[in-house]
Amino acid sequence: MRSNSYGRLSGGGGGGGQISHLRGWLLKPSRIVPTILIILVVLPLCAHYYLSKAVRDGSFSHERHLLLDPNDPLADLSGLKCDNAKARVQELLSIKASVLNELRDLEQHRQQLQENIAAATARVESLRLEEGRVKTELERLKTSVEQALLAQREIFEKNMPQIVAPRQITASSANNIHLPLPSNQAVTQCRMHNCFDYSRCSILSNFPVFSYDIDQYRLPANDLEVFVKTTVKQALGYNSHVTTDPDEACIFVTLVGEGIGSTIDKVNLEENLHSLPHWNGDGRNHVLLNLGRTFYSNNIFEGVNTGRALIVQSHFSSYAYRLGFDVVTPPLLGLPGGDLWQNVPPIVPAKRRYLLTFQGELPHLRNYLDKEEQSPSNPNLREEVSIVEELMQLEQSHTDDQFLLHFTCQGSGGYGDLNEWQICETETMRTRILRDSTFTLVLAPPNVKEITTVTLQARIYEALKYGAIPIVLGSHVELPLRETIDWRKLAIVLPKARVTELHFLLRSVSDADILFMRRQGRMIWERFLGSTQVLLDSILATLRERLNIPPLPAAEEPSISVFNDSFIPQKTDVNIADPDTDENLGPIEPPFPSVVFSRNYTVALTTGYELWNIWGDPFSLYSNLPTNPILPTEAKFSGSQLGFRPISGGSGGSGKEFSESLGGNHPREQFTIVMLTYEREQVLLNSLSRLYGLPYLNKVIVVWNSPKPPSEDLRWPDIKVPIQVIRAEKNSLNNRFLPYSEIDTEAVLSVDDDAHLRHDEIVFGFRVWRDERDRVVGFPGRYHAWDLNYGGWLYNSNYSCELSMVLTGAAFFHKYYASIYSHVMPQAIRDKVDEYMNCEDIAMNFLVSHITRKPPVK
């Protein structure tokens, strides 16, 4: 029955059956869970879809509402027809262009405002920098005013007159007083204090020397040796002290020998002496020259009453030589004059082939040395035999030292007096031996009363010339110009009793001492003994120093302007560039010169030794020397403060206090710039402009090396210090170092016309130079050394930690060295500079180091 019922229900009307069937399917437990999951997933998705669509439709309706706002002039676009769309688009494009133009104008205005702001900012910064410069300049002006007031106060307070080169005050005819001739005994007692007339030789006389004409006044009957006569006359003619007015003369010089022939008529000689027109009875202030040329020259004045005259010769005995009155000289074995360095060997190496050499013969000793006779009875000869025997044993010494000792001459014998050690061989042979000798022996005459002879002086002369250090055995001998030359630095003088220790002594001399003595001997020979000219100059300089008369001022180079007298160069204001530093580098003061000639009469007293034995130049008076003594530190605060500018008044300091004053142990001073130029006008003007406002600058000297004068329309910068443009006689780099008369300062800054140095560098270099005044102080460095690989001098221009030179294109040096470079240094060096148009900086560096034995300062 249930089946039927079910069947009826299922098969009844069509719809009800399907629903019933579906309900039955869903109600099955296995399908309920998936159905629920589907409902839970699908229903949210559908809801989300319809909700999102509704929001979009609402937003679109809102936007459409906005676009079709009736108040909007474009709202009627919705009703536009196609034929009006183009006009409306054109209108819209026009509106867009107008807006863009307005935006562009606004952008330009904005940029203009930014530029104005930047310019205003730069102007403010410039004004700030200008304020700093003005403040710095104000500080410098304040410092300058303080320095000027201090200088003014010093001028009022100082009680010392302005010193210049000595004015000449000479003797007159009123000094020609006739006095009786002294006796022969009185003549042997002559000294400067009792036989010299000082009234003719004022300290301000400049030491005038009158030379008797050699041809007019022939004192000996014999003719004079031609070389001696010619060269002495020539040398006296070149000496700056010689005068043609006998009334103003301080001393009277006459040449007596060497004559031709072995005998001299001494009676005739004495009569001729006493008849000289200015003899004035006693011959006071007369200088008698007996200058030998041969090894046979002797004392021709023995037995002749020479009155109160001084005698200059090579041969003296102890009883005839008047110490401090007569002068011992070597014979005239050299050239008449000129440079003497060409024919001499180099200084190095220190040790040569032979340790000791000697070539000579004592004729009275020959028989005893040949063992033909026994020991001599004369004690002097016995001593000589012992010395020779001791020396001969040196050749058998068990060392590597080599000796060349010859005590007999080959052939017909030697040259010289028979009573002394004669000279052997020819000059060529002697030269060859001396060039190979470290030391050479000089034996004094056996007779101890003979304190100097021609042959002894000739041996010393040749030894110094060829670099063999003289070993003088005989401490009683008198050496040439001994009162001015320190012979301890160039020769070893021993008593003859030391001959047994001679070998030990020579081996103990170091290489440094050997080279020092050899160099010193070379300098003395070249400067004082080597030629007739330097020997005559040295004799007169020795006599002048006895009288404490300063030499003549050193010659200066005339500063001839490149412009004629009527032409006034045009000037222009300087475009003041930004300073290299904000630091106050020092006061800007008016130009003032260095104090000059302040030691006219003390330089020979306090530094006479150095003038002869270190610098080798006692012949000229210089306005200043780089080695002038300095005051002790406390003197500038107590009694000697004139010109000194201590840092912060003596309390010291750094920065501002240091920059305001020069400080140091030297009074205030300035420097001169010497600038060499050649056909680079604009480069020159630019360099000159950069010197504006440079502290401590005295003046600028432009050496115009160009053949053409500067353009007349050239506008020279006004740098507030004088600019002197000097015409050079020729285009030469040596012109850089001429001692121009326009240089009024001790310090000279040599610069090239294209050198670019900052002000702080220049001032720093100047401060360093003030403490190293005898050296070259510069900026670019160079190095030289001996090249062992190629055997020559190496010049290194690359950067190096070892320096030996500084370029003089930017260097400080003392004006004194300009005089030495131009007038004392051998001419051959300056000629080589002109030949190469280069190397003048090498010449100056070597010159200064040669004098001072010091390197430059970089």
Side-chain angles (χ1 to χ4, degrees), residues 590-594 670-672 696-700 721-722 742 744-745:
F592 61 88
S594 297
Q670 296 177 335
F671 61 89
T672 302
Y696 310 116
L697 178 60
N698 181 271
K699 70 174 60 172
V700 180
V721 298
E742 285 291 335
D744 296 327
T745 60

Side-chain angles (χ1 to χ4, degrees), residues 20-282:
S20 176
H21 177 73
L22 177 63
R23 182 183 299 127
W25 183 82
L26 291 171
L27 290 178
K28 288 182 180 182
S30 60
R31 295 181 174 88
I32 293 175
V33 174
T35 303
I36 293 172
L37 290 176
I38 291 172
I39 295 170
L40 292 177
V41 172
V42 172
L43 287 177
L45 290 176
C46 293
H48 180 268
Y49 170 75
Y50 285 108
L51 288 175
S52 298
K53 185 174 184 302
V55 171
R56 286 197 301 271
D57 293 342
S59 175
F60 174 77
S61 300
H62 179 69
E63 291 177 0
R64 180 176 180 81
H65 174 73
L66 291 176
L67 289 174
L68 300 178
D69 188 354
N71 296 324
D72 190 347
L74 302 178
D76 58 350
L77 285 176
S78 59
L80 286 179
K81 296 180 180 180
C82 293
D83 54 352
N84 294 329
K86 183 176 181 180
R88 299 299 292 178
V89 170
Q90 292 295 334
E91 183 179 358
L92 290 175
L93 292 175
S94 176
I95 295 172
K96 176 182 178 182
S98 176
V99 171
L100 290 176
N101 289 334
E102 290 180 4
L103 291 175
R104 190 178 297 111
D105 292 339
L106 290 174
E107 178 64 21
Q108 290 178 354
H109 184 61
R110 185 183 68 83
Q111 291 179 357
Q112 184 65 37
L113 289 176
Q114 288 181 341
E115 291 176 359
N116 293 341
I117 293 173
T121 304
R123 178 62 178 166
V124 171
E125 186 65 25
S126 175
L127 291 174
R128 186 179 294 111
L129 294 176
E130 183 67 21
E131 179 189 15
R133 284 197 295 267
V134 170
K135 287 183 178 179
T136 302
E137 186 67 21
L138 182 59
E139 291 296 327
R140 295 175 67 177
L141 290 175
K142 289 180 179 179
T143 305
S144 301
V145 171
E146 293 173 359
Q147 298 291 329
L149 292 174
L150 183 57
Q152 182 185 30
R153 185 167 64 251
E154 289 176 343
I155 292 174
F156 286 123
E157 292 177 354
K158 75 175 183 179
N159 57 0
M160 183 177 180
Q162 187 68 31
I163 302 299
V164 295
R167 305 295 184 185
Q168 187 174 17
I169 300 177
T170 59
S172 64
S173 57
N175 297 91
N176 298 328
I177 302 174
H178 192 279
L179 296 176
L181 184 70
S183 64
N184 288 333
Q185 179 64 28
V187 168
T188 61
Q189 303 300 320
C190 266
R191 299 296 185 270
M192 292 296 292
H193 68 277
N194 62 356
C195 286
F196 193 86
D197 183 7
Y198 283 86
S199 67
R200 298 195 64 92
C201 303
S202 167
I203 291 179
L204 297 174
S205 65
N206 287 346
F207 191 63
V209 177
F210 178 79
S211 175
Y212 287 99
D213 185 83
I214 298 175
D215 296 319
Q216 183 178 358
Y217 300 99
R218 291 180 53 185
L219 298 181
N222 309 52
D223 290 333
L224 293 174
E225 204 274 337
V226 176
F227 179 87
V228 174
K229 173 183 174 181
T230 304
T231 59
V232 169
K233 184 176 181 178
Q234 177 182 346
L236 290 173
Y238 286 142
N239 191 280
S240 56
H241 290 284
V242 173
T243 179
T244 57
D245 184 1
D247 288 335
E248 70 174 16
C250 169
I251 63 173
F252 304 85
V253 175
T254 182
L255 181 62
V256 182
E258 175 180 35
I260 299 175
S262 56
T263 59
I264 298 292
D265 187 346
K266 297 189 176 182
V267 174
N268 177 264
L269 174 60
E270 183 173 318
E271 290 177 354
N272 291 338
L273 280 176
H274 298 169
S275 62
L276 288 172
H278 310 290
W279 187 258
N280 289 331
D282 59 351

Side-chain angles (χ1 to χ4, degrees), residues 267-530:
V267 174
N268 177 264
L269 174 60
E270 183 173 318
E271 290 177 354
N272 291 338
L273 280 176
H274 298 169
S275 62
L276 288 172
H278 310 290
W279 187 258
N280 289 331
D282 59 351
R284 62 188 181 278
N285 292 31
H286 275 64
V287 179
L288 309 181
L289 301 178
N290 178 28
L291 303 177
R293 176 70 174 173
T294 67
F295 299 132
Y296 298 96
S297 179
N298 53 25
N299 183 9
I300 65 173
F301 299 110
E302 188 173 357
V304 177
N305 188 332
T306 57
R308 292 186 171 91
L310 293 84
I311 297 176
V312 178
Q313 61 182 6
S314 301
H315 193 136
F316 280 105
S317 56
S318 58
Y319 56 84
Y321 178 67
R322 297 164 294 184
L323 183 64
F325 193 70
D326 296 325
V327 179
V328 176
T329 67
L332 297 181
L333 301 179
L335 300 172
D339 292 339
L340 304 175
W341 55 270
Q342 294 96 333
N343 298 320
V344 295
I347 297 293
V348 293
K351 300 287 180 60
R352 295 177 175 177
R353 177 182 178 184
Y354 299 110
L355 179 65
L356 180 67
T357 61
F358 178 79
Q359 290 178 292
E361 176 180 277
L362 182 61
H364 295 311
L365 212 63
R366 178 185 283 267
N367 292 337
Y368 302 105
L369 295 179
D370 294 340
K371 306 300 181 181
E372 296 179 4
E373 297 185 18
Q374 299 299 322
S375 178
S377 57
N378 187 319
N380 293 332
L381 292 181
R382 285 202 302 272
E383 182 183 32
E384 298 300 312
V385 171
S386 302
I387 291 173
V388 170
E389 291 176 348
E390 185 67 32
L391 291 172
M392 292 176 67
Q393 294 180 9
L394 294 178
E395 296 183 322
Q396 281 76 44
S397 63
H398 301 289
T399 65
D400 294 333
D401 299 327
Q402 295 189 50
F403 300 88
L404 192 152
L405 303 172
H406 295 166
F407 298 102
T408 57
C409 296
Q410 303 296 326
S412 58
Y415 309 99
D417 192 276
L418 296 176
N419 296 315
E420 63 173 324
W421 286 96
Q422 295 180 328
I423 292 179
C424 297
E425 304 294 347
T426 63
E427 181 180 359
T428 302
M429 292 294 296
R430 295 195 304 273
T431 298
R432 182 176 61 82
I433 297 301
L434 289 173
R435 283 175 174 266
D436 288 336
S437 304
T438 306
F439 301 94
T440 188
L441 196 61
V442 179
L443 290 174
N447 185 359
V448 294
K449 294 182 179 180
E450 298 291 334
I451 60 174
T452 175
T453 63
V454 174
T455 53
L456 182 141
Q457 299 296 340
R459 288 184 183 276
I460 295 175
Y461 177 94
E462 291 183 346
L464 297 179
K465 179 178 180 180
Y466 297 111
I469 299 174
I471 306 297
V472 182
L473 279 185
S475 55
H476 62 285
V477 300
E478 192 68 28
L479 299 175
L481 305 178
R482 195 165 195 167
E483 61 185 286
T484 51
I485 297 175
D486 185 3
W487 285 91
R488 295 173 300 176
K489 290 191 172 184
L490 57 142
I492 298 176
V493 182
L494 301 171
K496 291 183 177 181
R498 293 289 187 191
V499 66
T500 57
E501 301 172 296
L502 183 59
H503 190 192
F504 166 78
L505 176 63
L506 298 184
R507 286 179 61 88
S508 67
V509 182
S510 67
D511 285 4
D513 289 327
I514 291 174
L515 293 177
F516 173 81
M517 297 181 75
R518 184 176 296 158
R519 173 187 173 273
Q520 188 72 7
R522 177 71 54 78
M523 188 269 288
I524 295 297
W525 179 81
E526 286 186 358
R527 299 292 295 146
F528 307 126
L529 310 176

